[in-house]
Amino acid sequence: MSAPAIGQTASRRTWFGLIVLQLPVLLVSMDFSVLYLAIPTIIDSLGPSATQQLWILDIYGFMIAGLLITMGNIGDRIGRRRILLAGAAVFGVASVMAAFAPSAGFLIAARALMGIGGATLMPASLSLIANMFPQPRQRARAIGVWTAAFAGGAAIGPVIGGALLHHYWWGVVFLINVPVLAVLFLAAPYLLPEFRADHTEPFDFIGVALSLLGILPAVYAVKALAAEGVSAGAIGAGAFGVVMLVAFLWHEKRTPSPLLDLQLFTNATFSASLSIALVGMMTQGGLAYLTNLYLQSVLGFDVLDAALAGIPMAVTVAFFSIYADRLTRKIGVRLTLAASVLIAAAATLGMVALTQTSSLWVFLVLTAIAGIGFGIQFSLVTDVIVGSAPPEKSGAASGISETSFELGTALGLALLGSLATAVFLSKDDGHGFADSLGETLKEHGDVGAVADAARAAFVDGLHAAAIAGGVLLTILAVVVMAVMRGSVRPEHSAH
């Protein structure tokens, strides 16, 4: 199957192809969240150490974050459908390995392999959309569907995982990937086009090495600082990562065949969109982590109920990401982006209304409103970033887009999580708090003066993080209005 010609309206078959492209997106996003529910039973079965537990959870995200740009570039060269199916095969084999892992070390290796496969699936699926939908309006709608699938996967992952773990052993959370991937393998050759850019210049192996040496230590440092506080190892890894990223940018500026086209960053709309992706995911990711703790440790919901409470936000994210292009056509990219960021900012600031005794509906309303803002902005910035690149580089642009989302999530956990923890500990007043609310309740019990004080202190920390995130988003909205003044939406309609 070939891609539609420039400006051609997508056929019904192409729209069916879009449905097929959502399958790997759902799986990759689900596997970010589904494992949190399985960790207790994995601990009972495999007995991992505390360090191994962290690697089981984090190695998947590390590999995806480090390889997105590289895999997007490789897909541009060898064929986007080809690398999509190759990545799906790796992802499927690694899923089976993880399901039947005999030890914690084996599970970590399988999760790393899943991350490698996942890093091919995200940019390949997004760049294929650019080929399949050359008409800008239809492309925007298709990217909205893609964004909705990613948000939906993250939301339903814990729900599906909780239901399966209620009846089966922990390995089932990985085996559910296999039948979904089987559908992808059967349908993709008939419904998805192939696209490969005509590259004659050599592949940037030095850029790949420098990007990995920069991104992986940097992401590790951010997560280590968030989880364990300041340490020599985390600071050293972060410093090394920053040095390697500087070297990467220096190399990319001088090489004739760069892995990352730095000229894209001279486009104000492109750079503003990346900033929104970074700050938006930082706020959304950090507060998602904190509010999940709030629902369980403060309001007393179990894990599955807390997961279900995230569905209203997922619904609004999905709905408004699909229809964001309609708003853009009416008021333009600049106003739509700024307004969506302000909506998310208002809902984030509204979380200061959450208390130890708040009704669940307060949380549901605030997060649903936040989902409106995040849904619009995430869909639109993805469309803008992909649309900023010429057709032969849309895979690499997709990798840049997804990397900014990954880094934003990591920064949210580190910065907003650390802020909330600092406020929590500052409210100790001699109660003898442990390093976190969960540990404090484990040491002192769920009831009593210490438990009440700890919950109140955690809520204060949540408020501080919400204010910080809301202020950052508000500032970003103002910056977008200023930077994008007079700019137009980049339309490489050759997509």
Side-chain angles (χ1 to χ4, degrees), residues 68 122-123 126 146 150 382 398-406:
L68 281 167
M122 300 302 288
L126 190 53
W146 186 93
F150 191 83
T382 301
S398 301
I400 297 170
S401 171
E402 293 311 302
T403 301
S404 65
F405 283 119
E406 290 296 317

Side-chain angles (χ1 to χ4, degrees), residues 26-93:
L26 280 168
L27 292 182
V28 172
S29 61
M30 281 176 58
D31 274 273
F32 275 111
S33 56
V34 71
L35 201 61
Y36 290 107
L37 293 175
I39 275 293
T41 53
I42 290 175
I43 292 173
D44 292 338
S45 177
L46 302 181
S49 65
T51 301
Q52 287 177 321
Q53 292 174 41
L54 290 175
W55 281 109
I56 289 170
L57 289 170
D58 290 339
I59 190 64
Y60 177 73
F62 286 164
M63 298 307 296
I64 286 182
L67 290 170
L68 281 167
I69 295 175
T70 297
M71 292 304 183
N73 191 286
I74 292 174
D76 289 339
R77 290 170 174 269
I78 71 171
R80 291 167 186 166
R81 185 179 67 188
R82 180 178 298 172
I83 199 169
L84 177 76
L85 294 177
V90 171
F91 196 85
V93 170

Side-chain angles (χ1 to χ4, degrees), residues 220-238:
Y220 168 79
V222 169
K223 291 200 172 188
L225 289 170
E228 304 167 12
V230 178
S231 67
I235 295 297

